[in-house]
Amino acid sequence: MAGKSTPNATRRSERSHRAILDAALELVAEVGYPKLTIEAIAARAGVGKQTIYRWWPSRGAVLLDAFVALGERAAREAQEAGEPGDGDPYAFPDTGDLAADLKLVLRATVDELRSPTYDLPYRALAAEGIVNPEIAAEFVSRVMEPSVQLYVERLRAAQRAGQVAADLDPRIALELVTGPVTARWLLRTLPLSHAYADAVVDMALRGLSPR
């Protein structure tokens, strides 16, 4: 009997886990992060508050896991849809044309930042990271750093091909490309668009090109 009950318990645990993550994303979109509470997440997910605290220490930790899971689900769906990437949903394009590759990725970033699905939880986590160093560190390591490394690898390939200066620091270079888009989105200074993303890439590459 014990052997039969364990798989069922595991499935129930997995369902509860998914329900909690989905509830956190739904609620942050509906009521905003300031009004997001563990009690509200538990009620929406149909679980006890103690279940959430058994897995997460705070609402920020729940939302971070939910945001990471959202990205992983989108990557799986892209892979199943057969989108470009050599079978790897996280692959950075390398067509040999650095400007085109950067523009493709930055346009996708603009689309993501303009989507309420990503915009609202992303802003909530950015705000939480200001006052919560642990969430900030987790966000950097789990969300930002993997993307940073893809940019770094692509820029290093461009260095080897002589497309950018051999002595540039790829991590600083990628900030010239992604920083303006992030700042415009976060501060809402002006609208985000594909044309803006393209202009940022063109301007950044002027400074990164070999002299």
Side-chain angles (χ1 to χ4, degrees):
M1 293 296 291
K4 293 182 179 180
S5 64
T6 300
N8 290 335
T10 300
R11 283 194 293 271
R12 283 197 300 272
S13 178
E14 291 172 350
R15 284 196 298 270
S16 295
H17 194 276
R18 285 196 301 269
I20 291 166
L21 299 184
D22 290 343
L25 291 172
E26 292 168 5
L27 287 167
V28 81
E30 293 172 15
V31 305
Y33 189 65
K35 295 182 179 179
L36 182 68
T37 64
I38 293 294
E39 290 80 5
I41 295 172
R44 175 65 63 90
V47 302
K49 192 167 62 171
Q50 68 277 8
T51 299
I52 296 179
Y53 280 120
R54 187 165 64 243
W55 289 327
W56 296 279
S58 67
R59 63 178 184 162
V62 178
L63 187 59
L64 177 56
D65 272 7
F67 190 72
V68 170
L70 177 66
E72 292 172 345
R73 184 162 62 244
R76 286 195 302 270
E77 291 172 355
Q79 188 173 30
E80 291 167 2
E83 294 183 10
D86 296 328
D88 181 356
Y90 298 102
F92 201 108
D94 187 350
T95 64
D97 185 334
L98 179 61
D101 294 343
L102 290 174
K103 288 176 182 179
L104 179 65
V105 172
L106 206 58
R107 283 184 173 208
T109 300
V110 165
D111 291 341
E112 188 174 285
L113 293 175
R114 292 192 304 191
S115 166
T117 301
Y118 292 93
D119 173 78
L120 297 171
Y122 200 161
R123 287 185 184 279
L125 289 166
E128 180 67 16
I130 293 173
V131 298
N132 188 329
E134 291 183 1
I135 290 294
E138 280 283 300
F139 186 81
V140 168
S141 66
R142 298 175 64 190
V143 177
M144 295 185 66
E145 190 61 25
S147 177
V148 164
Q149 287 305 315
L150 293 176
Y151 270 96
V152 167
E153 290 169 9
R154 181 64 186 89
L155 287 166
R156 283 178 176 155
Q159 281 181 306
R160 291 192 293 271
Q163 296 172 330
V164 295
D167 60 347
L168 68 77
D169 183 327
R171 291 190 72 102
I172 295 175
L174 74 89
E175 291 176 358
L176 296 177
V177 175
T178 61
V181 169
T182 303
R184 181 174 283 205
W185 163 76
L186 186 61
L187 300 176
R188 294 189 172 103
T189 52
L190 288 168
L192 280 179
S193 66
H194 286 178
Y196 175 68
D198 290 351
V200 167
V201 170
D202 288 337
M203 190 167 293
L205 289 181
R206 288 178 198 167
L208 300 176
S209 298
R211 298 187 184 280

